[in-house]
Amino acid sequence: MSDFNKTRSEFHLPEGLIYLDGNSLGPLPRKAAERVASTITVEWGDMLVTGWNKAGWMAKPTDIGDRIGKLIGAPAGTVVMGDTLSIKVFQALASALRLRPDRKIILSDTGNFPSDLYMAEGLVGLLGQGYSLKTVAPEDVEGAIDETVAVTLITEVDYRTGRMHDMKRITEKAHAAGALTVWDLAHSAGAVPVDLTGADADFAVGCTYKYLNSGPGGPAFIYVRPDLAESAEPALAGWLGHEQPFAFDQNYRPGRGIERMRVGTPPVLQMAALEAALDIWDMTTMAEVRARSIELTERFIAGVEAACPELTLATPRDAGMRGSQVSFRHAEGYAIMQALIARKVIGDFRAPDILRFGFTPLYIGEAEVDGAVKIIAEVMDGRLWDREEYKRRARVT
Ligand SMILES: Cc1ncc(COP(=O)(O)O)c(C=O)c1O
């Protein structure tokens, strides 16, 4: 049995704040501050360049990848850390297209995160030769998979609504049509149980600064199905993905297995923070986190719907169909969220009209859910959001 009071005590959570935005940026694990400080002073400071060997920096991308793998149903040696998620989307897509040279279509959905679509557009523009990105409504993805599709690019949990795609079914359908799959797990890793092996997913990518709590700018990860790893060409052929980086060969030869998906120098300080964050994940199981997340999201939906009829639920009512966030729609969503933030309930806003709240059992419990519901009800009842200052858009929403 996991002790969620214990996991909660492992985070620095500012006094009086109800933090429901761990789906965007997880809070600071207390030990991350110490770990980064010692990586700076003891490792960088005293070891200097020898830290690559002595402190094991060079092996961290795969060591940490193995730890992430446990949270997403991926065996050791199939996940590696590095770069940002947008870059990893590009890399996975490019590799997948090369594995299906006779096909030209990337299939995605209109609910996908813009960066994924932009990366796909950029890639097809670069490739020319009739490559194209096709997007359909999320509910039409399965029906649109046919023998012309090279690869599907799907974000499992929709960043706006929290609606979850069926990874296993879509992957089966893709494979039956001879296509490959790239799964974006940005809103899945640490939010819902993921079983990449069980679903037979081909590629998966994700970030660590949301539910995995690695801090702003934490490294992304990429997974490649073990039997594809030796034939997948990394496209972004950086020196650290080379078979022998320190041979400094003139020509690229891909490294063994997942190592080839490395590109350049890994972010050592961010990885130190991530390691401390993953220590907290060792205290629980994804199944328990999921069960608790469902309890919390059910409680929040019931509370808000009872108190605020003006807010329309945008998240699937069926808990099995959603991730670990709850979204409501309102035409004045931006101002409402600013009014909530001013009252220390932190969620975020996604255009055009979505109020988003993330539920993260490692540090959120019933008290925060009930506290948030009460303040949302006050803001809605009294139209406390209806002030000019709450309507001025900031750079980040
Ligand atoms: C689903 C999804 N894909 C891609 C990205 C882009 O990630 P990054 O900014 O780390 O490249 C995000 C960022 O929030 C995301 O939510």
Side-chain angles (χ1 to χ4, degrees), residues 58 62 229-230 232-234 236-264:
M58 199 46 95
T62 43
E230 295 296 339
E233 291 179 54
L236 296 175
W239 73 301
L240 291 185
H242 190 278
E243 190 185 21
Q244 279 186 298
F246 285 85
F248 295 106
D249 281 348
Q250 288 293 294
N251 300 107
Y252 184 77
R253 270 179 290 121
R256 289 191 49 222
I258 197 66
E259 291 272 2
R260 66 183 56 192
M261 293 296 165
R262 294 176 70 156
V263 181

Side-chain angles (χ1 to χ4, degrees), residues 285-308:
T285 63
M286 211 48 244
E288 284 171 292
V289 168
R290 175 63 167 164
R292 185 101 180 99
S293 148
I294 290 175
E295 276 168 25
L296 297 176
T297 52
E298 295 281 73
R299 189 178 182 101
F300 183 72
I301 292 171
V304 173
E305 288 199 315
C308 313

